[in-house]
């Protein structure tokens, strides 16, 4: 076994939201805070450090119920983190999501000017996420968290979003989500694709070696170690429009399902086209030991089964021949639906807001999240499809090519089905770092001496 394979992550210092898969089904609540008073902010960090759960102890009584806390760059500033330390964080994080709108394709309706307030403004300092298998246990977790910030003058809860993951893990478009996850060296948590070598821990947690051989460190080291970057995006989904599109482009329900599967790379059941290209196989879709056990290059380099432009092949080309090296663009995803389900068969928009609270977890905002969003989702050059874009989540002029013999099919002018309602770039510190933030005064005093 190589030295790297012996890497052990310090799970007791890593927030459970970073590594632990979420239970099924589950409910979740996001709460955003503004820090108006520096001292109160530090007190909040101290209190949060006592309710945040670590990734260790997966079998404890509260293992399924977790509270995680992340800070924006503005939040670190509001706590009075010294400039030298602030400067040691990733450039994209320091810019914030709003400043990165152009690169992320957040234009037109998705422009930050149209975002839900206060998302994307300098007001958002801290984001808390509570996750639990049911509402009762969520309330208990939220209650514990609430006690930490209520009656703390100078701390304002400014935004809240409730979300849920259904027992069948179906998101608003009707696809099973949450199937594909990378394995991470030293985490003890298995990945879902037996054909993917576990990724170096430094791809997901700061302070460890990554796939490029580097180790990310902050000033001081304790602030970043065992922490990670988290991207939250509230993504509205136009479900009625998606259904109407499938109907208009197909002859009957079977054709609709096949087109939906071609656009995603999986049938709505989760069954991958790579393993059952002609018909759905719901049993396969629900079987975690088989539903992610595939690669592309061996028998489908052209994309006759799984189109190169489909959502899952774009966002993780696996072994497919693309420009670049797929392993350095992997991510942990935690998507959770929000809003009411649009009843089956309804084709008219009911005006309700529904969609996905998308969450990315990874140590590299630039080459992981931003690269995938800008190069793989909103471009087709990397796999030889010119200006094609992701037909599910792309923005701008969306075209999609279905490789087919004797001639390929091209769908042009696909409507935009997903609109960004807001989001934040955050840093989710380790538990020791949370306490470091709480003790900032004392720490700085000691440094002066
Ligand atoms: Fe995507 N969906 O629910 O329809 N996604 N996604 N995603 N996505 C995946 O394989 C969806 C979004 C990735 O390893 C599945 O677990 C929706 C963004 C990646 O094979 C489904 C939205 C980004 C994968 C969805 C959305 C990604 C993936 C299949 C927005 C990154 C794994 C289930 C509203 C920038 C690919 C699964 C792999 C899979 C959906 C957004 C990335 C069903 C609705 C913004 C890396």
């Amino acid at each position: 076994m190589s030295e790297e394979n012996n890497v052990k992550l310090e799970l007791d210092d890593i927030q459970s939201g970073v590594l632990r898969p979420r239970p099924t089904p589950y409910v979740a609540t996001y709460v955003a805070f503004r820090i108006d008073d520096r001292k109160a902010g530090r007190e909040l960090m101290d209190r949060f450090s006592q309710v945040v759960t670590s990734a260790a102890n997966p079998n404890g009584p509260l293992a399924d119920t977790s509270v995680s806390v992340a800070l924006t760059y503005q939040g670190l500033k509001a706590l009075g983190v010294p400039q030298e330390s602030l400067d040691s964080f990733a450039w994209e994080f320091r810019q914030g999501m709003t400043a990165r709108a152009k690169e992320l394709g957040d234009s037109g309706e998705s422009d930050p000017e149209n975002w839900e307030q206060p998302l994307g403004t300098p007001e958002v300092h801290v984001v808390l996420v509570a996750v639990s298998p049911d509402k009762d246990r969520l309330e208990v977790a939220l209650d514990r968290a609430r006690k930490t910030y209520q009656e703390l003058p100078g701390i304002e809860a400014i935004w809240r979003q409730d979300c849920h993951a259904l027992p069948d893990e179906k998101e608003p478009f009707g696809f099973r989500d949450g199937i594909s996850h990378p394995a991470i060296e030293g985490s003890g948590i298995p990945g879902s694709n037996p054909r993917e070598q576990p990724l170096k821990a430094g791809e997901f947690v700061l302070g460890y070696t990554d796939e490029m051989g580097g180790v990310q460190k902050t000033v001081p080291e304790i602030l970043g170690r065992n922490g990670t970057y988290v991207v939250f995006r509230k993504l509205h989904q136009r479900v009625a429009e998606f259904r109407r599109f499938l109907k208009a482009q197909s002859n009957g329900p079977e054709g609709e399902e096949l087109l939906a599967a071609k656009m995603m790379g999986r049938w709505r059941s989760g069954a991958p086209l790579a393993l059952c290209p002609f018909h759905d196989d719901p049993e396969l879709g629900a079987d975690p030991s088989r539903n992610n056990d595939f690669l592309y290059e061996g028998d489908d380099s052209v994309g006759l089964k799984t189109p190169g432009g489909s959502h899952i092949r774009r966002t993780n080309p696996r072994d497919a021949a693309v420009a670049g090296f797929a392993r350095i663009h992997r991510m942990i995803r935690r998507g959770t639906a929000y809003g009411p389900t649009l009843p089956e068969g309804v084709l008219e928009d009911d005006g309700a807001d529904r969609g996905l609270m998308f969450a990315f977890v990874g140590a590299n905002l630039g080459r992981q999240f931003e690269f995938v969003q800008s190069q793989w989702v909103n471009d087709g050059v990397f796999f030889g499809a010119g200006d094609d874009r992701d037909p599910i989540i792309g923005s701008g002029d969306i075209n999609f090519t279905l490789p087919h013999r004797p001639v390929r099919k091209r769908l042009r002018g696909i409507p935009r089905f997903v609109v960004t309602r807001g989001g934040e770039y955050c840093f989710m510190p380790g538990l020791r770092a949370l306490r470091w933030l709480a003790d900032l005064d004392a720490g700085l005093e000691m440094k002066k001496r």
Side-chain angles (χ1 to χ4, degrees), residues 221-241:
E221 203 178 328
I222 186 177
L223 179 56
R225 188 170 176 83
N226 291 321
T228 192
Y229 292 102
V230 181
V231 174
F232 298 116
R233 267 163 96 72
K234 183 171 178 182
L235 300 173
H236 169 74
Q237 290 176 246
R238 294 191 165 135
V239 178
E241 177 133 27

Side-chain angles (χ1 to χ4, degrees), residues 111-392:
D111 190 295
E113 274 190 359
N114 301 320
W115 285 4
E116 185 175 311
Q117 294 298 304
L119 297 177
T121 70
E123 302 245 310
V124 180
H125 293 159
V126 181
V127 178
L128 174 141
V129 190
V131 173
S132 182
D134 55 62
K135 277 196 174 148
D136 290 348
R137 276 182 276 180
L138 182 73
E139 270 317 309
V140 174
L142 277 173
D143 248 9
R144 286 178 67 206
R146 222 172 267 135
K147 285 195 186 97
T148 62
Y149 62 82
Q150 274 178 347
E151 289 157 38
L152 191 56
I155 301 296
E156 208 63 53
I158 53 174
W159 180 80
R160 173 181 172 148
Q161 179 69 57
D162 293 327
C163 318
H164 57 269
L166 300 170
D168 57 7
E169 295 188 78
K170 296 256 169 108
E171 52 69 60
F173 289 146
F175 293 99
R176 178 187 289 271
D177 200 3
I179 297 171
S180 183
H181 298 294
I184 303 155
E185 273 184 16
S187 71
I189 303 166
S192 55
N193 182 354
R195 293 163 203 252
E196 184 178 53
Q197 279 293 327
L199 285 126
K200 295 265 179 285
E203 290 296 302
F204 301 102
V205 187
L206 270 65
Y208 300 83
T209 306
D210 66 20
E211 290 285 322
M212 317 278 280
V215 179
Q216 280 195 64
K217 288 184 182 160
T218 55
V219 180
E221 203 178 328
I222 186 177
L223 179 56
R225 188 170 176 83
N226 291 321
T228 192
Y229 292 102
V230 181
V231 174
F232 298 116
R233 267 163 96 72
K234 183 171 178 182
L235 300 173
H236 169 74
Q237 290 176 246
R238 294 191 165 135
V239 178
E241 177 133 27
F242 182 64
R243 290 179 185 171
R244 285 201 303 272
F245 173 78
L246 294 177
K247 219 177 214 0
Q249 298 293 331
S250 329
N251 285 328
E254 271 182 32
E256 285 174 41
E257 285 312 303
L258 181 61
L259 177 57
K262 289 284 183 188
M263 290 165 77
M264 176 54 69
R266 291 183 186 274
W267 299 88
R268 293 205 229 217
S269 70
L273 286 174
L275 299 180
C276 50
F278 304 115
H279 54 82
D280 192 5
D281 181 348
E283 242 175 68
L284 168 62
D287 182 350
S289 70
R290 294 189 293 142
N291 63 11
N292 204 33
D293 186 0
F294 61 92
L295 297 173
Y296 296 117
E297 201 53 31
D299 65 345
D300 194 25
S301 58
V302 186
L304 289 171
K305 295 184 191 174
T306 314
S310 62
H311 179 63
I312 66 160
R313 191 157 169 171
R314 282 174 171 274
T315 51
N316 180 15
R318 303 185 185 214
D319 65 332
V322 293
F325 186 48
R327 279 175 74 76
I328 63 168
H329 308 297
R330 299 287 286 119
M331 63 181 75
I332 299 174
R333 288 171 305 124
R334 305 266 185 254
T336 320
Y338 72 87
T341 308
L342 188 68
E344 196 104 2
V346 173
L347 295 175
E348 285 312 312
D349 191 7
D350 61 358
D353 189 12
R354 58 175 62 82
L356 203 72
M357 272 303 291
F358 170 87
F360 152 101
V361 177
N364 211 300
L365 285 174
R367 75 167 154 79
Q368 293 172 324
F369 174 69
E370 289 200 352
F371 180 88
V372 173
Q373 177 72 31
S374 62
Q375 306 297 308
W376 285 357
V377 166
N378 281 325
D379 209 330
V381 174
F382 73 100
F383 70 103
D387 59 358
D388 273 15
R389 292 164 191 241
D390 190 313
I392 304 274

